Amino acid sequence: MHLIIYLQESPLLFIMVTGLFGLVIGSFLNVVIYRLPVMLEREWRSQCDALTKTDEQRTEPAKKTADTFNLAIPRSTCPSCGHTIKAWENIPIISYLLLRGRCSKCGIHISCRYPIIEGITALLSIIVAWHFGFTWQTAAALLLTWALICLTMIDFDHYLLPDNLTLPFVWIGLLLALFGIFTQPVDAIIGAISGYLILWSVYWAFKLLTGKEGMGYGDFKLLALLGAWMGWQALPIIILLSSLVGAIVGVLLIVFKNHDKSKPIPFGPYLAAAGWICLLWGNDITEIYMHWSGLA
């Protein structure tokens, strides 16, 4: 109780604690980003096997199931030598620096991506705490921030936006709207429906014109999620920002990285980034645009 009072009365302490907590969460997000796609693939393979089995195969004695694999089990190991990561080797950022970015047993290089994600999670958490202060908005915005980081990295790696993350957060956004945390219930409901239908319409229009799929269904659900959290009024800004950044990054990849034009570029990371920016500064961006365009 006293800690809550201290955090409420000391903004600097609250921001520092949030940043440290963000580091810990960032370490967990690394686990989710790696393991969730593997868990989904195993589940899909199991379902396919069950559907393709013959009647005789279904009556056969069940074979030994695969080892348990979820977000908690097994413990993290080195992908090269199988060394089990000890607690002191799993301290966010600090362990990476102490180990000089290498496995303590075999010495293989550990990707700098892990501490980067931990650092980014802490930094974004600090920004959220600084922006909203000691409020329920901060608690909710932190949850959304962490979910968007996971979705961004999973989509970047696998071109996948898992329903396990997008759909629950659609419902969380609608639930928060009942209490007016970021928007009102009617605006949230319209935002969720409109967010899905806008990209669904773009998808089918593009497919009818070109015969190709321009985006995945996960993008529809992600925009529906953002609409549920911020209301339909935020959708134009989110679409504009994500499209602008996506176009710029796409051109840069083609020009400087010789990116194959036929290879798809995930749109989820740009939607997530635009949604996060809009969550914090959407109203300010709208006012600046209205003033700049002469509409205000």
Side-chain angles (χ1 to χ4, degrees):
M1 186 66 181
H2 293 293
L3 177 60
I4 295 177
I5 295 174
Y6 288 145
L7 293 176
Q8 190 172 8
E9 294 179 348
S10 176
L12 180 59
L13 178 61
F14 173 61
I15 291 173
M16 291 175 60
V17 170
T18 302
L20 291 175
F21 189 62
L23 281 174
V24 176
I25 293 296
S27 180
F28 175 69
L29 296 188
N30 277 320
V31 175
V32 177
I33 292 166
Y34 169 72
R35 295 196 181 194
L36 183 57
V38 177
M39 291 163 56
L40 291 175
E41 182 180 358
R42 289 190 175 196
E43 180 182 349
W44 296 333
R45 288 184 181 276
S46 176
Q47 292 172 350
C48 289
D49 289 342
L51 289 173
T52 55
K53 280 184 177 180
T54 64
D55 292 336
E56 292 181 358
Q57 290 173 326
R58 290 191 181 97
T59 59
E60 291 178 357
K63 296 181 180 179
K64 183 180 178 180
T65 57
D67 295 335
T68 302
F69 189 89
N70 53 42
L71 297 181
I73 301 173
R75 292 180 58 185
S76 298
T77 60
C78 172
S80 177
C81 66
H83 166 66
T84 301
I85 307 299
K86 297 180 175 61
W88 72 269
E89 297 173 323
N90 208 25
I91 303 172
I93 295 182
I94 295 176
S95 292
Y96 186 87
L97 296 175
L98 291 176
L99 293 169
R100 298 181 180 180
R102 296 187 177 277
C103 172
S104 61
K105 186 174 182 180
C106 69
I108 193 172
H109 176 70
I110 302 171
S111 174
C112 62
R113 164 173 163 162
Y114 300 112
I116 288 175
I117 290 177
E118 292 166 353
I120 289 176
T121 304
L123 177 61
L124 297 186
S125 299
I126 288 172
I127 294 173
V128 167
W130 169 78
H131 183 82
F132 290 114
F134 192 84
T135 62
W136 285 110
Q137 285 182 315
T138 294
L142 286 174
L143 286 177
L144 181 60
T145 299
W146 301 334
L148 292 178
I149 291 173
C150 282
L151 288 168
T152 294
M153 297 309 302
I154 291 174
D155 197 26
F156 183 79
D157 289 339
H158 303 280
Y159 300 94
L160 172 69
L161 293 168
D163 289 349
N164 307 57
L165 288 176
T166 54
L167 296 185
F169 273 85
V170 171
W171 291 110
I172 292 174
L174 295 175
L175 179 62
L176 291 174
L178 294 176
F179 303 95
I181 301 296
F182 294 110
T183 189
Q184 298 304 311
V186 173
D187 294 334
I189 294 171
I190 296 175
I193 296 172
S194 301
Y196 188 92
L197 290 179
I198 287 172
L199 292 187
W200 179 87
S201 301
V202 172
Y203 167 88
W204 280 107
F206 184 83
K207 187 171 184 178
L208 290 173
L209 290 172
T210 65
K212 301 178 181 178
E213 296 182 355
M215 61 181 65
Y217 277 63
D219 296 318
F220 315 163
K221 299 166 189 174
L222 178 54
L223 190 57
L225 180 162
L226 299 173
W229 276 71
M230 288 167 266
W232 62 268
Q233 298 90 339
L235 294 179
I237 301 174
I238 294 172
I239 294 172
L240 179 62
L241 286 176
S242 59
S243 300
L244 179 62
V245 175
I248 293 173
V249 172
V251 171
L252 291 177
L253 286 174
I254 293 173
V255 174
F256 295 104
K257 294 291 186 179
N258 295 321
H259 184 82
D260 187 356
K261 296 180 181 179
S262 62
K263 186 178 180 180
I265 298 176
F267 190 51
Y270 309 121
L271 279 176
W276 188 81
I277 291 171
C278 189
L279 180 70
L280 273 68
W281 300 291
N283 292 333
D284 297 333
I285 294 173
T286 301
E287 290 179 5
I288 292 172
Y289 172 75
M290 296 290 284
H291 178 74
W292 176 78
S293 62
L295 297 175

